[in-house]
């Protein structure tokens, strides 16, 4: 049952009006003017609530300068409570409208609703006479929907001074329940290089050492190490083999595929590439050690040299990490307000928190924004009941995070 708190109801109506305004602004990724307008509208609202507001300009990958909104409470100095959001949407806006308790609008869910929830939460705290943390720093980026360089850079930069991180992206709607994101998988790219011995398959077959056979053996065993549930996974994304000239010069020699040329060579080179995904650094290290051992074992049996090279790493947000206590507080606050909040302990896909310098050393909560559906489509909607709930939830969390 929804309890009718008149204070919350009043604040909710104002936040809903603000959300209408936000959704009427068209701010698809790359639309500089629209993004500036979004930054200005959100900035003005926070400015009225005592925040120091700046719009920075940062270059994206193409060198275009795009706005980043930074709004800081009076005590957000070297250390702060970092709130993260994005100004951009996937599609250009069409006029928003309300129907059946939903707001249908471009970016209503992802993630203009998160800004409306924040403004509502600040108002609710003010109405209750409770102080919001004075060290809030909100950073809103312009290029999240295109996996942008600015998003990554800003989270890295602002993450350094954060004492805790709240991400205003939407939670998920699961039947009559809503979620909060606690864990996010990290990833590590890898490459395996197999070097065998070439030989004529008719004249000297047994002198050859097939790099393809060795790499296939390793990749099949590696992929089979993947554990269902919360365990780590191994993905073999590519496997290429053949004679060394072919593999090392694919650009030039790829058109050999489909011909009968050089089928009489025992393949002396193979290359496999892929990634690991994991929820904890311990999982990653354990898996990597197993993969290295596997390379040694396969090399010993096949007499093919196998070299495993780790590549780029993105850290996970460990669901048993420092965000846990905060998440449990949120679950309790929701229950006290009469609704059910579920924790997503294993969300795949890299997002804002993965770019923090050391996510394992910070309390992080993601998915604090209101839920809905149809993300990134013309059917996108936000559940207005959820906006009301999330205003209350965010207010309770902020009240508990007061004092730096
Ligand atoms: Zn988003």
């Amino acid at each position: 049952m929804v309890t009718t708190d008149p204070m919350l109801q009043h604040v909710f109506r104002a936040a809903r009006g603000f959300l209408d305004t936000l959704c009427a602004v068209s701010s698809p990724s790359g639309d500089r003017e629209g993004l500036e307008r979004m930054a200005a509208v959100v900035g003005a609202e926070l400015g009225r609530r005592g925040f120091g507001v700046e719009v920075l300009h940062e270059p994206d990958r193409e060198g275009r300068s795009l706005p980043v909104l930074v709004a800081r409470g009076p005590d957000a100095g070297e250390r702060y409570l970092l709130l993260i959001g994005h100004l951009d949407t996937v599609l250009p806006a069409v006029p928003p409208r309300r129907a059946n308790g939903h707001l249908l609008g471009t970016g209503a869910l992802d993630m203009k609703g998160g800004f409306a929830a924040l403004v509502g939460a600040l108002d609710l705290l003010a109405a209750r006479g409770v102080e919001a943390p004075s060290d809030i720093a909100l950073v809103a980026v312009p290029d999240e929907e295109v996996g942008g360089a600015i998003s990554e850079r800003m989270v890295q930069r602002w993450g350094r001074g954060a004492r805790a991180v709240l991400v205003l992206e939407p939670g998920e709607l699961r039947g009559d329940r809503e979620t909060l994101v606690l864990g996010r998988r990290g990833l590590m790219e890898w490459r395996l290089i197999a070097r065998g011995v070439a030989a004529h398959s008719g004249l000297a077959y047994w002198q050859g050492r097939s790099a393809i056979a060795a790499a296939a053996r390793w990749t099949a065993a590696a992929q089979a190490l993947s554990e269902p549930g919360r365990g780590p996974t191994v993905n073999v994304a590519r496997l290429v083999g053949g004679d060394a000239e072919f593999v090392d010069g694919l650009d030039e020699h790829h058109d050999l595929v489909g011909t009968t040329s050089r089928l009489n060579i025992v393949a002396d080179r193979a290359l496999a590439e892929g990634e690991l995904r994991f929820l904890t650094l311990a999982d990653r290290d354990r898996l990597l050690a197993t993969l290295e051992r596997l390379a040694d074992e396969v090399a010993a049996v096949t007499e093919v040299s196998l070299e495993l090279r780790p590549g780029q790493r993105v850290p996970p947000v460990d669901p048993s990490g420092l965000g846990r206590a905060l998440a449990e507080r949120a679950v309790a606050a929701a229950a006290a307000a009469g609704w059910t909040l579920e924790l997503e302990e294993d969300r795949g896909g890299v997002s804002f928190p993965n770019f923090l310098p050391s996510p394992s050393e910070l309390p992080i909560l993601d998915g604090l924004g209101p839920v809905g559906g149809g993300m990134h489509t013309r059917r996108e909607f936000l559940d207005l009941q959820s906006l009301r709930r999330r205003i209350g939830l965010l207010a309770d969390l902020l009240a508990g995070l007061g004092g730096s």
Side-chain angles (χ1 to χ4, degrees):
M1 281 308 292
V2 179
T3 46
T4 40
D5 169 351
M7 226 177 250
L8 176 56
Q9 187 57 20
H10 177 76
V11 161
F12 163 68
R13 284 216 185 90
R16 190 178 58 183
F18 176 50
L19 181 57
D20 290 341
T21 308
L22 291 180
C23 289
V25 176
S26 187
S27 60
S29 315
D31 176 351
R32 193 188 151 146
E33 241 172 76
L35 294 163
E36 297 278 3
R37 232 173 8 252
M38 258 300 282
V41 175
V42 177
E45 214 58 36
L46 291 170
R48 272 195 280 281
R49 287 161 181 80
F51 283 73
V53 175
E54 270 179 289
V55 178
L56 313 176
H57 288 90
E58 287 285 328
D60 70 0
R61 280 199 192 91
E62 283 77 49
R64 279 176 312 182
S65 158
L66 295 175
V68 175
L69 170 69
V70 177
R72 286 198 259 193
D75 295 324
E78 306 254 290
R79 297 276 291 164
Y80 37 79
L81 171 60
L82 180 63
L83 272 54
I84 301 175
H86 60 88
L87 303 166
D88 59 326
T89 59
V90 172
L91 300 172
V94 293
R97 66 192 171 84
R98 282 183 211 152
N100 308 320
H102 292 166
L103 178 71
L104 292 106
T106 318
L109 171 64
D110 182 17
M111 56 140 278
K112 297 185 175 184
F115 293 119
L118 172 61
V119 164
L122 294 171
D123 288 351
L124 186 58
L125 288 175
R128 287 176 178 165
V130 176
E131 278 198 36
S134 55
D135 66 341
I136 290 176
L138 169 79
V139 176
V141 296
D143 62 351
E144 192 275 341
E145 296 293 5
V146 288
I150 301 175
S151 296
E152 200 171 326
R153 195 162 66 238
M154 289 300 103
V155 173
Q156 276 167 1
R157 186 181 302 168
W158 288 89
R160 280 186 216 120
R163 64 178 172 96
V165 180
L166 303 181
V167 181
L168 301 174
E169 289 267 38
E172 212 175 83
L173 184 59
R174 288 183 178 167
D176 60 348
R177 290 152 183 252
E178 299 187 14
T179 73
L180 204 61
V181 182
L182 182 55
R184 269 202 193 266
R185 285 183 177 249
L187 68 87
M188 193 191 83
E189 297 172 351
W190 55 262
R191 166 181 281 196
L192 180 87
I193 300 156
R195 295 181 184 87
V197 179
H200 189 287
S201 66
L203 304 172
Y205 180 80
W206 296 105
Q207 268 97 69
R209 296 290 177 269
S210 171
I212 289 182
R217 198 161 168 154
W218 185 90
T219 51
Q223 186 109 9
L225 290 170
S226 302
E227 297 168 22
R230 286 175 55 172
T233 58
V234 183
N235 184 46
V236 181
R238 271 189 285 276
L239 174 56
V240 182
D243 60 88
E245 195 192 22
F246 168 73
V247 175
D248 296 345
L250 267 183
D251 263 12
E252 218 183 309
H253 301 295
H254 63 273
D255 54 3
L256 274 177
V257 175
T259 73
T260 56
S261 181
R262 302 201 214 167
L263 297 184
N264 57 350
I265 302 177
V266 174
D268 59 334
R269 187 79 88 245
L271 188 66
E273 293 171 330
E275 53 171 39
L276 317 177
R277 300 257 177 168
F278 39 82
L279 273 174
T280 70
L281 291 174
D283 279 349
R284 180 196 70 191
D285 294 345
R286 183 169 50 86
L287 190 53
L288 188 57
T290 308
L291 291 171
E292 269 159 0
R293 211 163 44 239
L294 181 62
D296 291 344
E297 283 165 20
V298 173
V301 177
T302 58
E303 296 177 28
V304 168
S305 114
L306 290 180
E307 183 195 346
L308 180 62
R309 290 187 192 164
Q312 203 192 318
R313 293 156 194 244
V314 174
V317 181
D318 187 334
S320 317
L322 295 172
R324 180 114 225 151
L326 204 53
E328 276 163 9
R329 239 190 277 164
V331 170
W339 57 288
T340 307
L341 188 61
E342 265 177 19
L343 298 179
E344 283 188 61
E345 307 211 2
D346 183 7
R347 174 82 78 101
V350 167
S351 184
F352 287 127
N354 298 97
F355 301 129
L356 290 163
S358 24
S360 59
E361 286 161 26
L362 278 175
I364 300 166
L365 275 191
D366 191 355
L368 281 164
V371 304
M375 191 185 279
H376 302 172
T377 73
R378 282 283 167 229
R379 294 179 307 282
E380 179 168 358
F381 71 90
L382 180 118
D383 179 344
L384 289 167
Q385 281 299 336
S386 176
L387 173 60
R388 186 203 313 259
R389 294 180 188 129
R390 298 285 172 144
I391 289 171
L393 177 67
L394 202 49
D396 289 345
L397 276 175
L398 288 175
L401 281 164
S404 32

